[in-house]
Amino acid sequence: MLRNSLLRNSFTARRFLATSVKNQPSIGRFTGKPNPATGKFDVSFIEGDGIGPEISQSVKDIFKAAEVPINWEFCDVTPIFVNGLTTIPDPAVASINKNLIALKGPLATPIGKGHRSLNLTLRKTFNLFANVRPAKSIEGFKTTYSDVDLVLIRENTEGEYSGIEHVVAPGVVQSIKLITRDASERVIRYAFEYAKAIGRPRVVVVHKSTIQRLADGLFVNVAKELSKEYPEIKLETELIDNTVLNVVSNPAGYTDAVSVCPNLYGDILSDLNSGLSAGSLGLTPSANIGNEISIFEAVHGSAPDIAGQNKANPTALLLSSVMMLNHMGLVDQASRIERAVLTTIASSSKNRTGDLGGSATTSSFTDAVIKNL
């Protein structure tokens, strides 16, 4: 029943990668230890904005019912400005640096003004270089496609998200896309190791080097160089235009592949994959992996229009927390919670929230998951 899911395979891959990446034996590995005073792991929790506190409470209630040995440490990331730059408050930085792991709800970002994206600030602060987004059809929940089984790894620290832009002249703005060899090699090597770990024979590098000849060209060339170290894995390069067309036309064509791409393409493609697999970002988990620190997050927005109304779907944050537990080595608890969540969604429309066409509230969905543990 709902076994051998891509999500569980991806957990295995991350544990494997902790000791297998050449020249970087500690990449992505969780090295935290339980607090000797409590016997539990301290985990930083950024509850987020809008619906964040509600879906965070759902995670807390389910973890308590599942007797997960975790002590949540609340993190306030209300931005501060240092020398004009958006910065995470020192107590939050200290908490995450101490615990080496965090769970994050949705954070709102002002459009065109105010502070810079806190999501981007977190990735840069903790050097979270790889965003891992699995997207798999959920058995028992019907969407347009029933055979989606995709893995996307997105470079997470540079590209168009480098935040380098300025006004050249009135009415003329220049935004600079930054691509470096080091960052490209790090995320592409991770993709090769990931594919190797979960038994996928192809790595597909998504790019636009026909236009971005130097930037995307560097990304592609690094992939070609690294592919010589992985003769058992076939490297393919694909223009972003073709990838979008192919994924929408036949998502099953990527079931045996791990896709990897620069930042902006990864942002767009990962949301596309989520739409194909589940029809909603409300079901999509995500992990941001760094050399020592990892942050797991729900990638959907903060939905202020329904905040406080008990309507929010906590599934994305729950499945992200399941990824987190496996990353920490708490495999049994992760399996129990994942099975309970997916069983609840597949059971009936009365156990699905409104975004999935159901009638459940946040709290009734949470109760149903707890009953299915």
PDB file of all heavy atoms in Angstrom, residues 123-149:
ATOM      1  N   ARG A 123      18.895  30.753   2.183  1.00  0.00           N
ATOM      2  CA  ARG A 123      19.757  29.884   1.369  1.00  0.00           C
ATOM      3  C   ARG A 123      21.179  30.415   1.322  1.00  0.00           C
ATOM      4  O   ARG A 123      22.141  29.653   1.397  1.00  0.00           O
ATOM      5  CB  ARG A 123      19.187  29.770  -0.042  1.00  0.00           C
ATOM      6  CG  ARG A 123      17.869  29.028  -0.119  1.00  0.00           C
ATOM      7  CD  ARG A 123      17.219  29.194  -1.470  1.00  0.00           C
ATOM      8  NE  ARG A 123      15.800  28.805  -1.418  1.00  0.00           N
ATOM      9  CZ  ARG A 123      14.883  29.229  -2.264  1.00  0.00           C
ATOM     10  NH1 ARG A 123      15.215  30.062  -3.235  1.00  0.00           N
ATOM     11  NH2 ARG A 123      13.639  28.832  -2.149  1.00  0.00           N
ATOM     12  N   LYS A 124      21.303  31.727   1.209  1.00  0.00           N
ATOM     13  CA  LYS A 124      22.634  32.316   1.132  1.00  0.00           C
ATOM     14  C   LYS A 124      23.323  32.300   2.499  1.00  0.00           C
ATOM     15  O   LYS A 124      24.528  32.054   2.601  1.00  0.00           O
ATOM     16  CB  LYS A 124      22.543  33.738   0.586  1.00  0.00           C
ATOM     17  CG  LYS A 124      22.249  33.790  -0.919  1.00  0.00           C
ATOM     18  CD  LYS A 124      22.302  35.206  -1.435  1.00  0.00           C
ATOM     19  CE  LYS A 124      22.176  35.242  -2.954  1.00  0.00           C
ATOM     20  NZ  LYS A 124      23.319  34.616  -3.626  1.00  0.00           N
ATOM     21  N   THR A 125      22.565  32.574   3.553  1.00  0.00           N
ATOM     22  CA  THR A 125      23.148  32.617   4.888  1.00  0.00           C
ATOM     23  C   THR A 125      23.766  31.274   5.268  1.00  0.00           C
ATOM     24  O   THR A 125      24.855  31.218   5.855  1.00  0.00           O
ATOM     25  CB  THR A 125      22.080  33.009   5.925  1.00  0.00           C
ATOM     26  OG1 THR A 125      21.570  34.314   5.605  1.00  0.00           O
ATOM     27  CG2 THR A 125      22.660  33.037   7.333  1.00  0.00           C
ATOM     28  N   PHE A 126      23.080  30.185   4.903  1.00  0.00           N
ATOM     29  CA  PHE A 126      23.531  28.853   5.320  1.00  0.00           C
ATOM     30  C   PHE A 126      24.099  28.033   4.158  1.00  0.00           C
ATOM     31  O   PHE A 126      24.333  26.839   4.303  1.00  0.00           O
ATOM     32  CB  PHE A 126      22.386  28.105   6.005  1.00  0.00           C
ATOM     33  CG  PHE A 126      21.867  28.806   7.227  1.00  0.00           C
ATOM     34  CD1 PHE A 126      20.656  29.481   7.205  1.00  0.00           C
ATOM     35  CD2 PHE A 126      22.615  28.838   8.394  1.00  0.00           C
ATOM     36  CE1 PHE A 126      20.179  30.143   8.318  1.00  0.00           C
ATOM     37  CE2 PHE A 126      22.156  29.503   9.517  1.00  0.00           C
ATOM     38  CZ  PHE A 126      20.936  30.152   9.485  1.00  0.00           C
ATOM     39  N   ASN A 127      24.323  28.702   3.024  1.00  0.00           N
ATOM     40  CA  ASN A 127      24.941  28.063   1.855  1.00  0.00           C
ATOM     41  C   ASN A 127      24.222  26.766   1.480  1.00  0.00           C
ATOM     42  O   ASN A 127      24.841  25.713   1.320  1.00  0.00           O
ATOM     43  CB  ASN A 127      26.425  27.793   2.117  1.00  0.00           C
ATOM     44  CG  ASN A 127      27.189  27.535   0.830  1.00  0.00           C
ATOM     45  OD1 ASN A 127      26.777  27.927  -0.250  1.00  0.00           O
ATOM     46  ND2 ASN A 127      28.316  26.858   0.951  1.00  0.00           N
ATOM     47  N   LEU A 128      22.922  26.863   1.313  1.00  0.00           N
ATOM     48  CA  LEU A 128      22.097  25.708   0.953  1.00  0.00           C
ATOM     49  C   LEU A 128      22.093  25.586  -0.567  1.00  0.00           C
ATOM     50  O   LEU A 128      21.267  26.162  -1.251  1.00  0.00           O
ATOM     51  CB  LEU A 128      20.685  25.899   1.504  1.00  0.00           C
ATOM     52  CG  LEU A 128      20.609  26.201   3.008  1.00  0.00           C
ATOM     53  CD1 LEU A 128      19.168  26.492   3.417  1.00  0.00           C
ATOM     54  CD2 LEU A 128      21.176  25.051   3.832  1.00  0.00           C
ATOM     55  N   PHE A 129      23.028  24.817  -1.099  1.00  0.00           N
ATOM     56  CA  PHE A 129      23.333  24.875  -2.519  1.00  0.00           C
ATOM     57  C   PHE A 129      22.413  24.055  -3.408  1.00  0.00           C
ATOM     58  O   PHE A 129      22.333  24.292  -4.614  1.00  0.00           O
ATOM     59  CB  PHE A 129      24.784  24.444  -2.764  1.00  0.00           C
ATOM     60  CG  PHE A 129      25.064  23.006  -2.427  1.00  0.00           C
ATOM     61  CD1 PHE A 129      24.845  22.016  -3.368  1.00  0.00           C
ATOM     62  CD2 PHE A 129      25.545  22.652  -1.182  1.00  0.00           C
ATOM     63  CE1 PHE A 129      25.103  20.689  -3.066  1.00  0.00           C
ATOM     64  CE2 PHE A 129      25.807  21.334  -0.873  1.00  0.00           C
ATOM     65  CZ  PHE A 129      25.586  20.343  -1.815  1.00  0.00           C
ATOM     66  N   ALA A 130      21.709  23.062  -2.866  1.00  0.00           N
ATOM     67  CA  ALA A 130      20.870  22.199  -3.691  1.00  0.00           C
ATOM     68  C   ALA A 130      19.448  22.163  -3.165  1.00  0.00           C
ATOM     69  O   ALA A 130      19.217  21.889  -1.989  1.00  0.00           O
ATOM     70  CB  ALA A 130      21.438  20.777  -3.733  1.00  0.00           C
ATOM     71  N   ASN A 131      18.506  22.466  -4.039  1.00  0.00           N
ATOM     72  CA  ASN A 131      17.089  22.319  -3.703  1.00  0.00           C
ATOM     73  C   ASN A 131      16.584  21.032  -4.362  1.00  0.00           C
ATOM     74  O   ASN A 131      16.665  20.880  -5.577  1.00  0.00           O
ATOM     75  CB  ASN A 131      16.288  23.519  -4.206  1.00  0.00           C
ATOM     76  CG  ASN A 131      14.809  23.385  -3.911  1.00  0.00           C
ATOM     77  OD1 ASN A 131      14.000  23.317  -4.828  1.00  0.00           O
ATOM     78  ND2 ASN A 131      14.436  23.362  -2.648  1.00  0.00           N
ATOM     79  N   VAL A 132      16.117  20.102  -3.547  1.00  0.00           N
ATOM     80  CA  VAL A 132      15.670  18.799  -4.036  1.00  0.00           C
ATOM     81  C   VAL A 132      14.151  18.760  -4.001  1.00  0.00           C
ATOM     82  O   VAL A 132      13.539  18.936  -2.952  1.00  0.00           O
ATOM     83  CB  VAL A 132      16.251  17.656  -3.180  1.00  0.00           C
ATOM     84  CG1 VAL A 132      15.837  16.303  -3.752  1.00  0.00           C
ATOM     85  CG2 VAL A 132      17.766  17.763  -3.106  1.00  0.00           C
ATOM     86  N   ARG A 133      13.527  18.529  -5.177  1.00  0.00           N
ATOM     87  CA  ARG A 133      12.074  18.528  -5.274  1.00  0.00           C
ATOM     88  C   ARG A 133      11.593  17.258  -5.974  1.00  0.00           C
ATOM     89  O   ARG A 133      11.618  17.167  -7.201  1.00  0.00           O
ATOM     90  CB  ARG A 133      11.610  19.760  -6.052  1.00  0.00           C
ATOM     91  CG  ARG A 133      11.796  21.087  -5.348  1.00  0.00           C
ATOM     92  CD  ARG A 133      10.645  21.417  -4.425  1.00  0.00           C
ATOM     93  NE  ARG A 133       9.428  21.647  -5.155  1.00  0.00           N
ATOM     94  CZ  ARG A 133       9.081  22.845  -5.656  1.00  0.00           C
ATOM     95  NH1 ARG A 133       9.870  23.891  -5.507  1.00  0.00           N
ATOM     96  NH2 ARG A 133       7.951  22.979  -6.309  1.00  0.00           N
ATOM     97  N   PRO A 134      11.160  16.251  -5.230  1.00  0.00           N
ATOM     98  CA  PRO A 134      10.510  15.103  -5.853  1.00  0.00           C
ATOM     99  C   PRO A 134       9.053  15.438  -6.164  1.00  0.00           C
ATOM    100  O   PRO A 134       8.416  16.213  -5.451  1.00  0.00           O
ATOM    101  CB  PRO A 134      10.606  14.021  -4.784  1.00  0.00           C
ATOM    102  CG  PRO A 134      10.623  14.787  -3.497  1.00  0.00           C
ATOM    103  CD  PRO A 134      11.290  16.103  -3.774  1.00  0.00           C
ATOM    104  N   ALA A 135       8.527  14.884  -7.248  1.00  0.00           N
ATOM    105  CA  ALA A 135       7.117  15.074  -7.594  1.00  0.00           C
ATOM    106  C   ALA A 135       6.576  13.745  -8.095  1.00  0.00           C
ATOM    107  O   ALA A 135       7.009  13.247  -9.136  1.00  0.00           O
ATOM    108  CB  ALA A 135       6.965  16.158  -8.670  1.00  0.00           C
ATOM    109  N   LYS A 136       5.651  13.173  -7.348  1.00  0.00           N
ATOM    110  CA  LYS A 136       5.131  11.849  -7.689  1.00  0.00           C
ATOM    111  C   LYS A 136       3.622  11.822  -7.512  1.00  0.00           C
ATOM    112  O   LYS A 136       3.087  12.377  -6.557  1.00  0.00           O
ATOM    113  CB  LYS A 136       5.774  10.785  -6.796  1.00  0.00           C
ATOM    114  CG  LYS A 136       5.337   9.361  -7.119  1.00  0.00           C
ATOM    115  CD  LYS A 136       6.090   8.356  -6.268  1.00  0.00           C
ATOM    116  CE  LYS A 136       5.540   6.947  -6.471  1.00  0.00           C
ATOM    117  NZ  LYS A 136       5.757   6.473  -7.842  1.00  0.00           N
ATOM    118  N   SER A 137       2.946  11.185  -8.457  1.00  0.00           N
ATOM    119  CA  SER A 137       1.502  11.031  -8.348  1.00  0.00           C
ATOM    120  C   SER A 137       1.158  10.285  -7.066  1.00  0.00           C
ATOM    121  O   SER A 137       1.865   9.352  -6.669  1.00  0.00           O
ATOM    122  CB  SER A 137       0.973  10.249  -9.554  1.00  0.00           C
ATOM    123  OG  SER A 137       1.245  10.918 -10.765  1.00  0.00           O
ATOM    124  N   ILE A 138       0.082  10.700  -6.421  1.00  0.00           N
ATOM    125  CA  ILE A 138      -0.360  10.059  -5.188  1.00  0.00           C
ATOM    126  C   ILE A 138      -1.442   9.039  -5.506  1.00  0.00           C
ATOM    127  O   ILE A 138      -2.473   9.363  -6.105  1.00  0.00           O
ATOM    128  CB  ILE A 138      -0.883  11.097  -4.187  1.00  0.00           C
ATOM    129  CG1 ILE A 138       0.273  12.001  -3.732  1.00  0.00           C
ATOM    130  CG2 ILE A 138      -1.546  10.437  -2.991  1.00  0.00           C
ATOM    131  CD1 ILE A 138      -0.136  13.076  -2.763  1.00  0.00           C
ATOM    132  N   GLU A 139      -1.198   7.812  -5.125  1.00  0.00           N
ATOM    133  CA  GLU A 139      -2.142   6.735  -5.372  1.00  0.00           C
ATOM    134  C   GLU A 139      -3.465   7.031  -4.670  1.00  0.00           C
ATOM    135  O   GLU A 139      -3.506   7.372  -3.489  1.00  0.00           O
ATOM    136  CB  GLU A 139      -1.540   5.428  -4.838  1.00  0.00           C
ATOM    137  CG  GLU A 139      -2.327   4.189  -5.225  1.00  0.00           C
ATOM    138  CD  GLU A 139      -1.617   2.932  -4.782  1.00  0.00           C
ATOM    139  OE1 GLU A 139      -0.372   2.899  -4.855  1.00  0.00           O
ATOM    140  OE2 GLU A 139      -2.304   1.983  -4.363  1.00  0.00           O
ATOM    141  N   GLY A 140      -4.557   6.937  -5.421  1.00  0.00           N
ATOM    142  CA  GLY A 140      -5.869   7.173  -4.843  1.00  0.00           C
ATOM    143  C   GLY A 140      -6.362   8.600  -4.981  1.00  0.00           C
ATOM    144  O   GLY A 140      -7.517   8.893  -4.670  1.00  0.00           O
ATOM    145  N   PHE A 141      -5.483   9.509  -5.462  1.00  0.00           N
ATOM    146  CA  PHE A 141      -5.891  10.902  -5.675  1.00  0.00           C
ATOM    147  C   PHE A 141      -5.730  11.211  -7.159  1.00  0.00           C
ATOM    148  O   PHE A 141      -4.628  11.312  -7.668  1.00  0.00           O
ATOM    149  CB  PHE A 141      -5.039  11.850  -4.839  1.00  0.00           C
ATOM    150  CG  PHE A 141      -5.355  13.312  -5.070  1.00  0.00           C
ATOM    151  CD1 PHE A 141      -6.621  13.818  -4.816  1.00  0.00           C
ATOM    152  CD2 PHE A 141      -4.382  14.167  -5.563  1.00  0.00           C
ATOM    153  CE1 PHE A 141      -6.904  15.150  -5.034  1.00  0.00           C
ATOM    154  CE2 PHE A 141      -4.659  15.505  -5.782  1.00  0.00           C
ATOM    155  CZ  PHE A 141      -5.923  15.999  -5.517  1.00  0.00           C
ATOM    156  N   LYS A 142      -6.830  11.331  -7.873  1.00  0.00           N
ATOM    157  CA  LYS A 142      -6.824  11.445  -9.320  1.00  0.00           C
ATOM    158  C   LYS A 142      -6.483  12.861  -9.769  1.00  0.00           C
ATOM    159  O   LYS A 142      -7.072  13.834  -9.311  1.00  0.00           O
ATOM    160  CB  LYS A 142      -8.186  11.040  -9.890  1.00  0.00           C
ATOM    161  CG  LYS A 142      -8.240  11.050 -11.418  1.00  0.00           C
ATOM    162  CD  LYS A 142      -9.569  10.543 -11.929  1.00  0.00           C
ATOM    163  CE  LYS A 142      -9.665  10.628 -13.442  1.00  0.00           C
ATOM    164  NZ  LYS A 142      -8.558   9.927 -14.145  1.00  0.00           N
ATOM    165  N   THR A 143      -5.517  12.958 -10.674  1.00  0.00           N
ATOM    166  CA  THR A 143      -5.171  14.216 -11.331  1.00  0.00           C
ATOM    167  C   THR A 143      -5.085  13.952 -12.831  1.00  0.00           C
ATOM    168  O   THR A 143      -5.377  12.849 -13.301  1.00  0.00           O
ATOM    169  CB  THR A 143      -3.829  14.766 -10.817  1.00  0.00           C
ATOM    170  OG1 THR A 143      -2.807  13.779 -11.020  1.00  0.00           O
ATOM    171  CG2 THR A 143      -3.907  15.108  -9.339  1.00  0.00           C
ATOM    172  N   THR A 144      -4.687  14.955 -13.599  1.00  0.00           N
ATOM    173  CA  THR A 144      -4.631  14.797 -15.052  1.00  0.00           C
ATOM    174  C   THR A 144      -3.724  13.644 -15.453  1.00  0.00           C
ATOM    175  O   THR A 144      -4.028  12.876 -16.358  1.00  0.00           O
ATOM    176  CB  THR A 144      -4.138  16.101 -15.707  1.00  0.00           C
ATOM    177  OG1 THR A 144      -5.002  17.171 -15.314  1.00  0.00           O
ATOM    178  CG2 THR A 144      -4.158  15.980 -17.232  1.00  0.00           C
ATOM    179  N   TYR A 145      -2.584  13.506 -14.776  1.00  0.00           N
ATOM    180  CA  TYR A 145      -1.656  12.426 -15.055  1.00  0.00           C
ATOM    181  C   TYR A 145      -1.603  11.486 -13.845  1.00  0.00           C
ATOM    182  O   TYR A 145      -1.695  11.915 -12.706  1.00  0.00           O
ATOM    183  CB  TYR A 145      -0.245  12.969 -15.311  1.00  0.00           C
ATOM    184  CG  TYR A 145      -0.124  13.844 -16.535  1.00  0.00           C
ATOM    185  CD1 TYR A 145      -0.232  15.226 -16.442  1.00  0.00           C
ATOM    186  CD2 TYR A 145       0.110  13.288 -17.790  1.00  0.00           C
ATOM    187  CE1 TYR A 145      -0.111  16.040 -17.560  1.00  0.00           C
ATOM    188  CE2 TYR A 145       0.233  14.085 -18.913  1.00  0.00           C
ATOM    189  CZ  TYR A 145       0.121  15.462 -18.794  1.00  0.00           C
ATOM    190  OH  TYR A 145       0.243  16.254 -19.904  1.00  0.00           O
ATOM    191  N   SER A 146      -1.413  10.200 -14.139  1.00  0.00           N
ATOM    192  CA  SER A 146      -1.331   9.219 -13.060  1.00  0.00           C
ATOM    193  C   SER A 146       0.037   8.555 -12.995  1.00  0.00           C
ATOM    194  O   SER A 146       0.255   7.673 -12.175  1.00  0.00           O
ATOM    195  CB  SER A 146      -2.395   8.129 -13.256  1.00  0.00           C
ATOM    196  OG  SER A 146      -2.212   7.468 -14.507  1.00  0.00           O
ATOM    197  N   ASP A 147       0.950   8.989 -13.847  1.00  0.00           N
ATOM    198  CA  ASP A 147       2.242   8.303 -13.950  1.00  0.00           C
ATOM    199  C   ASP A 147       3.427   9.247 -13.751  1.00  0.00           C
ATOM    200  O   ASP A 147       4.500   9.043 -14.291  1.00  0.00           O
ATOM    201  CB  ASP A 147       2.365   7.610 -15.308  1.00  0.00           C
ATOM    202  CG  ASP A 147       2.163   8.577 -16.493  1.00  0.00           C
ATOM    203  OD1 ASP A 147       1.822   9.761 -16.245  1.00  0.00           O
ATOM    204  OD2 ASP A 147       2.344   8.147 -17.644  1.00  0.00           O
ATOM    205  N   VAL A 148       3.242  10.299 -12.971  1.00  0.00           N
ATOM    206  CA  VAL A 148       4.312  11.267 -12.741  1.00  0.00           C
ATOM    207  C   VAL A 148       5.244  10.755 -11.651  1.00  0.00           C
ATOM    208  O   VAL A 148       4.803  10.334 -10.580  1.00  0.00           O
ATOM    209  CB  VAL A 148       3.740  12.642 -12.352  1.00  0.00           C
ATOM    210  CG1 VAL A 148       4.862  13.640 -12.084  1.00  0.00           C
ATOM    211  CG2 VAL A 148       2.811  13.163 -13.439  1.00  0.00           C
ATOM    212  N   ASP A 149       6.523  10.769 -11.939  1.00  0.00           N
ATOM    213  CA  ASP A 149       7.533  10.292 -10.989  1.00  0.00           C
ATOM    214  C   ASP A 149       8.838  11.033 -11.305  1.00  0.00           C
ATOM    215  O   ASP A 149       9.743  10.489 -11.932  1.00  0.00           O
ATOM    216  CB  ASP A 149       7.702   8.780 -11.137  1.00  0.00           C
ATOM    217  CG  ASP A 149       8.516   8.168 -10.008  1.00  0.00           C
ATOM    218  OD1 ASP A 149       9.110   8.930  -9.229  1.00  0.00           O
ATOM    219  OD2 ASP A 149       8.565   6.937  -9.922  1.00  0.00           O
TER     220      ASP A 149
END
